[in-house]
Amino acid sequence: MSSKAYAAGVALALTALATAGDHARAQTPGACFEIIAARAGVQPAILIDKCSGRTWQLARRSGAHAAYRWTALPRDDGAPAASSAPPAVADTGKCFTFEGRKFCE
Amino acid sequence: MNDHVRMTIARFPGAALAFVVAAQTAPAMAQGTSVESLHGKSITASVQYEVQLRREGREFAAPVTAEWRLAIGADNRVTGSISRTSVSPRGPVSTSRPISAVIGRPGQIKDAGGHGLILLSGNTLTLLRTFEVGGIKTTITLTGGGGCSIDAPVMKEVGAGPTRRDAIVGGSIEILSSRQVSSTCRVK
């Protein structure tokens, strides 16, 4: 295999990766949602609905049917994380939405 | 892996190398300073602002320095304080409030009003705080080796008018504009 073929392969692969990334973004249902990755022992994965401000954390339910489920993020003031609770946060760089209010630089 | 990628690798073996490099590089880039490594240490950061303020109908400019002292505990709780110092017509004034929050859990700021939330993503700690009107987004980026940087712009609230928050000297004050002019940040 010539170096030209390797170079062409690398270029094609990177192009394919970029195309696949664009395709994935374009197909993402509901661009509202963003996931903040979990940090082992520090922070669970957090799902943010940037459109409504609602947030969930990934939690493991134990028992006979143990499974990971998204559960509404509880609030520090003890208020229940009911579905009708005020939205929590969505951070989009120059703007963030918190408690149903939108803030921008 | 889709058919297009498989065909690419079959025809050009160099593509496989590129995929391996990409696969190994992406997670490494996503990794940040581990919070576990910060246990027992503290983050001290300060930001100096030039602020245009309005209080009781009078507008004036003032330098304001905000200083964060944060410690991250093993229980994911961040404790510390935020202090603000400025110079009023009557001389220097300052105030300090405690910080105690669990990463990822929104909380109400009882003594000053508003809400707060600390998030951790990669090597970045983000502190969101809302005021009576407006808020502030503090981003502390840990750079390793005891280094960090801080960016803490005051954020305008969309459709709510001038930013209004608790004043250093008590009561509330309007922030008409603010500009971060310098900052310091260190981990020790």
Coordinates of all heavy atoms in Angstrom, one line a residue, chain A residues 8 10 20 22 29 38-40 43 51 56 66 72 82-84 98 101:
Chain A
A8 N -4.8 9.2 1.3 CA -6.1 9.4 0.7 C -7.1 8.7 1.7 O -8.2 9.2 1.9 CB -6.2 8.7 -0.6
V10 N -6.8 8.4 5.0 CA -7.0 9.3 6.1 C -7.9 10.4 5.8 O -8.8 10.8 6.6 CB -5.6 9.8 6.6 CG1 -5.8 10.9 7.7 CG2 -4.8 8.7 7.2
A20 N -20.5 12.4 8.9 CA -21.3 11.6 9.9 C -21.7 12.5 11.0 O -22.9 12.5 11.5 CB -20.6 10.4 10.4
D22 N -22.1 15.8 11.0 CA -23.1 16.8 10.6 C -24.4 16.1 10.5 O -25.5 16.7 10.8 CB -22.7 17.4 9.2 CG -21.5 18.3 9.4 OD1 -21.2 18.7 10.5 OD2 -20.8 18.6 8.4
P29 N -33.1 14.6 17.2 CA -34.5 15.0 17.4 C -34.6 16.0 18.6 O -34.1 15.7 19.6 CB -35.2 13.7 17.8 CG -34.2 12.8 18.3 CD -32.9 13.2 17.6
A38 N -21.6 12.3 32.8 CA -21.4 12.0 34.2 C -19.9 12.0 34.6 O -19.0 11.8 33.7 CB -21.9 10.6 34.5
R39 N -19.6 12.3 35.8 CA -18.2 12.2 36.4 C -18.3 11.2 37.5 O -19.0 11.4 38.5 CB -17.7 13.6 36.9 CG -17.7 14.7 35.8 CD -16.6 14.4 34.8 NE -15.3 14.4 35.5 CZ -14.5 15.5 35.6 NH1 -14.9 16.7 35.2 NH2 -13.4 15.4 36.2
A40 N -17.5 10.1 37.3 CA -17.6 9.0 38.3 C -17.4 9.5 39.7 O -16.4 10.2 40.0 CB -16.6 8.0 38.0
Q43 N -20.7 13.5 39.8 CA -21.9 14.1 39.3 C -22.5 13.1 38.3 O -21.8 12.5 37.4 CB -21.5 15.3 38.5 CG -22.6 16.0 37.7 CD -22.1 17.2 36.9 OE1 -21.8 18.2 37.5 NE2 -22.1 17.1 35.6
C51 N -35.1 24.0 26.0 CA -36.3 24.8 25.5 C -37.2 25.1 26.7 O -37.8 26.1 26.8 CB -37.0 24.0 24.5 SG -36.0 23.8 23.0
W56 N -33.0 16.6 34.3 CA -33.1 15.3 34.9 C -31.6 14.8 35.1 O -30.7 15.2 34.5 CB -33.7 14.3 33.9 CG -35.1 14.7 33.6 CD1 -36.3 14.2 34.1 CD2 -35.6 15.6 32.5 NE1 -37.4 14.7 33.5 CE2 -37.0 15.6 32.6 CE3 -34.9 16.4 31.6 CZ2 -37.8 16.4 31.7 CZ3 -35.7 17.2 30.8 CH2 -37.1 17.2 30.8
A66 N -33.8 -3.6 38.1 CA -32.9 -2.5 38.2 C -32.6 -2.0 36.8 O -32.5 -2.7 35.8 CB -31.5 -3.0 38.8
A72 N -36.3 13.5 37.5 CA -36.3 14.9 37.6 C -35.3 15.4 38.6 O -35.2 14.8 39.7 CB -37.7 15.4 37.9
A82 N -41.5 17.9 41.0 CA -42.7 17.5 40.3 C -42.7 18.0 38.9 O -41.9 18.9 38.6 CB -43.9 18.2 41.0
S83 N -43.4 17.4 38.0 CA -43.4 17.8 36.6 C -43.8 19.2 36.4 O -43.4 19.8 35.4 CB -44.3 16.8 35.8 OG -45.6 16.9 36.3
S84 N -44.6 19.7 37.4 CA -45.0 21.1 37.2 C -44.1 22.1 37.9 O -44.4 23.3 37.9 CB -46.4 21.2 37.8 OG -46.4 20.9 39.2
F98 N -32.8 29.7 33.6 CA -32.7 29.2 34.9 C -34.0 29.6 35.6 O -34.4 30.8 35.6 CB -31.5 29.8 35.6 CG -31.2 29.1 37.0 CD1 -31.7 27.9 37.3 CD2 -30.4 29.8 37.9 CE1 -31.4 27.3 38.5 CE2 -30.0 29.2 39.1 CZ -30.5 28.0 39.4
R101 N -36.3 31.8 33.6 CA -35.9 33.1 33.2 C -34.7 33.0 32.3 O -33.9 32.1 32.5 CB -35.6 33.9 34.5 CG -36.7 34.1 35.4 CD -36.3 34.4 36.8 NE -35.6 35.7 36.9 CZ -34.9 36.1 38.0 NH1 -34.9 35.3 39.1 NH2 -34.2 37.2 38.0

